[in-house]
Amino acid sequence: MGRLRRAASARPDALPETPDRWARVRDVVAVVLLAVTAVLTAWSGFESSKWGGEMSIAFSRASTARIEAARYADDANAARDVDLQTFSLWLEAYAQDDTQLLEFVESRFTPHFAEAFDLWIAERPLQNPDAAPSPFALEEYVPPGEAEAAAADERADGLFDEALRNNQRGDDYTLLTVLFALVLFFAAIAERPRAPGTRWALLIGAGTLAVAGIVLLAMFPKII
């Protein structure tokens, strides 16, 4: 009986402890999630910063294009004012039937106005009610700087739209950084609960968010 008692009391100590293989797997998964997500978080922050810089550059270029458009528009307005004054003088000479003054004024027409003026005269405005009211109403009248101003305005609009797109891309990467931060949070607290099921649930949730973030990261445009 003494031997049996000694054998029974010694048996629990003699049994080897069973390793929790699932706990080790869980630890490995948590470590991998933390490591990969940390790298992806840093990458998302880098991309957000780069797109923010591209946004600033595009806004600056758009402002430069606006200033250029305004300068060309001023040149066009100044040229139009000169043509208006010259045409007014021509109308006075025509009304007074002053041939010498008419020839003098016509010789002072700017090239772009002279082209439109000749087309307007060819329409016979005094006899033709469908003729343009003045040379300035013709499409052929284009003062210097007007086309350049329109092109600069169009370029500024494109750059402004590009800046807004870059801003949205930077915001997308910022939200992606928040998503990866949630992955880090859930993976870090996965070992806190005592119940294994709760731990696995937290890891699975973290992994799901990580996969979603990786898919979005692959879809987003990148600056390297």
Side-chain angles (χ1 to χ4, degrees), residues 4-15:
L4 290 176
R5 288 177 180 174
R6 285 195 298 271
S9 60
R11 189 174 301 160
D13 297 333
L15 290 176

Side-chain angles (χ1 to χ4, degrees), residues 65-137:
R66 293 293 185 199
I67 295 173
E68 183 180 358
R71 185 173 66 251
Y72 280 123
D74 289 341
D75 293 340
N77 290 331
R80 186 179 287 105
D81 289 340
V82 172
D83 294 332
L84 282 170
Q85 293 175 10
T86 307
F87 184 60
S88 297
L89 184 59
W90 182 90
L91 290 176
E92 292 179 9
Y94 182 84
Q96 297 172 6
D97 198 16
D98 190 339
T99 305
Q100 185 177 359
L101 182 58
L102 279 175
E103 293 177 354
F104 174 79
V105 174
E106 289 178 6
S107 67
R108 296 297 186 270
F109 283 166
T110 57
H112 60 274
F113 179 74
E115 179 183 357
F117 179 82
D118 291 340
L119 292 173
W120 180 67
I121 291 296
E123 292 182 355
R124 302 178 64 85
L126 294 179
Q127 291 80 24
N128 182 12
D130 296 329
S134 72
F136 302 97

Side-chain angles (χ1 to χ4, degrees), residues 14-50:
L15 290 176
E17 294 183 358
T18 303
D20 190 351
R21 290 182 300 175
W22 288 112
R24 294 181 180 178
V25 171
R26 191 168 57 244
D27 291 341
V28 171
V29 171
V31 170
V32 170
L33 273 177
L34 290 171
V36 172
T37 307
V39 174
L40 295 179
T41 301
W43 178 260
S44 298
F46 168 77
E47 288 290 334
S48 177
S49 176
K50 293 291 287 184

Side-chain angles (χ1 to χ4, degrees), residues 36 40 176 179-180 207-219:
V36 172
L40 295 179
L176 200 57
L179 179 63
F180 286 134
T208 302
L209 292 176
V211 171
I214 292 172
V215 171
L216 292 175
L217 182 62
M219 295 171 58

